[in-house]
Amino acid sequence: MTGSYDPALNLIYWGVGNPGPDWNGNVRLGDNLFTSSVIALDADTGKIKWHYQFTPHDEFDFDSTQVPVLADIQWQGAARKALLFANRNGFFYVLDRVTGEFLRATPFVKVTWASGFDAKGRPNRVQSPTETGTRIFPNNQGGTNWYNPAFNPKLGLFYIPMWADTYSTYTSRTDQYVEGNQYTGGGATHEVPALSPPRANQRSPQTGYGAIEAVDVQSGTIKWQFKMTDVTDSGVLTTASGLVFAGGREGYFYALNASTGAVLWKAMIGGQVAAGPITYMVGGKQYVSVPAGNAVFTFSLRP
């Protein structure tokens, strides 16, 4: 996935994938530096200015290839150049994007693999895959994934397309690497499918749901949650006029109230929404477009 660029600092921020084998860390001891991290690179030289590792010694396949969002915010009474990151591991992070300093992390879905963080932002690991299998939240798909979040600076809310209350049974194996074969060191089984292309409505109500969630950047608290029937692979768009656009696997495209999450409008467009909507102006008229299925749908206000 693509990173983000700050022209004033001349830094590129990029999320990094997970180490391998995915579920057995015994053959790769230590933190496995820079994996499951965000790195800040000098745009001219490529030199790493700083990094923050979301999941040290990742044994859950929690890659960090989500979208880093750059925002200038007020933080504890002072202006701060922040990097906002909803991570696949289930935590929402606020970092200083100049120095990489850890400011705060809060769960936005149910998380059982870690119980919190130390002062420097290192997670307190409390679960790992086992040979017999361990049920761990969130599932292997993650609390969120590649689909983009959005930030509304006027409201101070960060919008996350998320999978709630989903788990996987993570299994670690000690099998040996064989050249030419896939080598994951275990596996993760879950009832909510993460297929490409995804099939809609292939889950039971007891195994989680999809939602668009609004998180207050200052406090980390969840302000509202718009639940869908099925999980979602949709990106999120928010506007200065107080709207949030997103969709889901069910084939609906929604406009929500950015402050409350209330549905203002929806359209059944037939295909699953697994992309980020965009808005643009042509001839003084504003449009919103989103791909769904194998077509692009465009909407505007009636004259």
Side-chain angles (χ1 to χ4, degrees), residues 108 162 164 209-214 222-227 260-261:
F108 63 91
M162 48 83 84
Y209 57 90
I212 305 301
E213 190 169 78
I222 298 169
K223 289 298 185 180
W224 55 258
Q225 188 183 90
F226 173 70
K227 293 184 179 181
T260 67

Side-chain angles (χ1 to χ4, degrees), residues 48-66:
I48 294 180
K49 292 295 186 178
W50 60 260
H51 82 281
Y52 174 78
Q53 192 165 35
F54 299 104
T55 314
H57 192 67
D58 182 2
E59 294 180 295
F60 311 102
D61 190 27
F62 286 157
D63 64 61
S64 296
T65 57
Q66 294 78 58

Side-chain angles (χ1 to χ4, degrees), residues 1-4 13-17 36-38 54 61-69 84-91 93 108 141-149:
M1 302 304 294
T2 51
S4 300
Y13 305 90
W14 216 278
V16 184
S36 301
S37 301
V38 60
F54 299 104
D61 190 27
F62 286 157
D63 64 61
S64 296
T65 57
Q66 294 78 58
V67 179
V69 176
L84 311 177
F85 205 109
N87 194 265
R88 184 171 172 175
N89 68 15
F91 288 100
Y93 294 82
F108 63 91
Q141 165 75 13
T144 190
N145 212 301
W146 65 88
Y147 19 85
N148 64 281

Side-chain angles (χ1 to χ4, degrees), residues 4 7 57 104 112 161 172 177 198 226 237 244 252 281-282 285 298:
S4 300
H57 192 67
R104 189 181 53 229
T112 62
S172 177
Y177 169 68
F226 173 70
L237 166 70
V244 168
Y252 281 106
M281 299 282 288
V282 176
K285 190 171 186 178
T298 301

Side-chain angles (χ1 to χ4, degrees), residues 7-29:
L9 299 175
N10 199 35
L11 291 179
I12 298 172
Y13 305 90
W14 216 278
V16 184
N18 57 283
D22 301 41
W23 295 287
N24 184 352
N26 293 331
V27 295
R28 48 174 177 83
L29 301 179

Side-chain angles (χ1 to χ4, degrees), residues 179-256:
E179 186 175 356
N181 291 349
Q182 186 181 38
Y183 181 49
T184 60
T189 59
H190 41 270
E191 296 182 57
V192 178
L195 304 177
S196 183
R199 291 196 298 267
N201 303 316
Q202 298 292 304
R203 65 164 189 85
S204 65
Q206 292 75 34
T207 55
Y209 57 90
I212 305 301
E213 190 169 78
V215 177
D216 185 289
V217 168
Q218 294 296 320
S219 64
T221 57
I222 298 169
K223 289 298 185 180
W224 55 258
Q225 188 183 90
F226 173 70
K227 293 184 179 181
M228 301 180 188
T229 303
D230 207 326
V231 293
T232 180
D233 307 284
S234 170
V236 180
L237 166 70
T238 186
T239 70
S241 58
L243 300 176
V244 168
F245 290 95
R249 287 189 178 181
E250 308 131 320
Y252 281 106
F253 186 49
Y254 300 95
L256 310 176

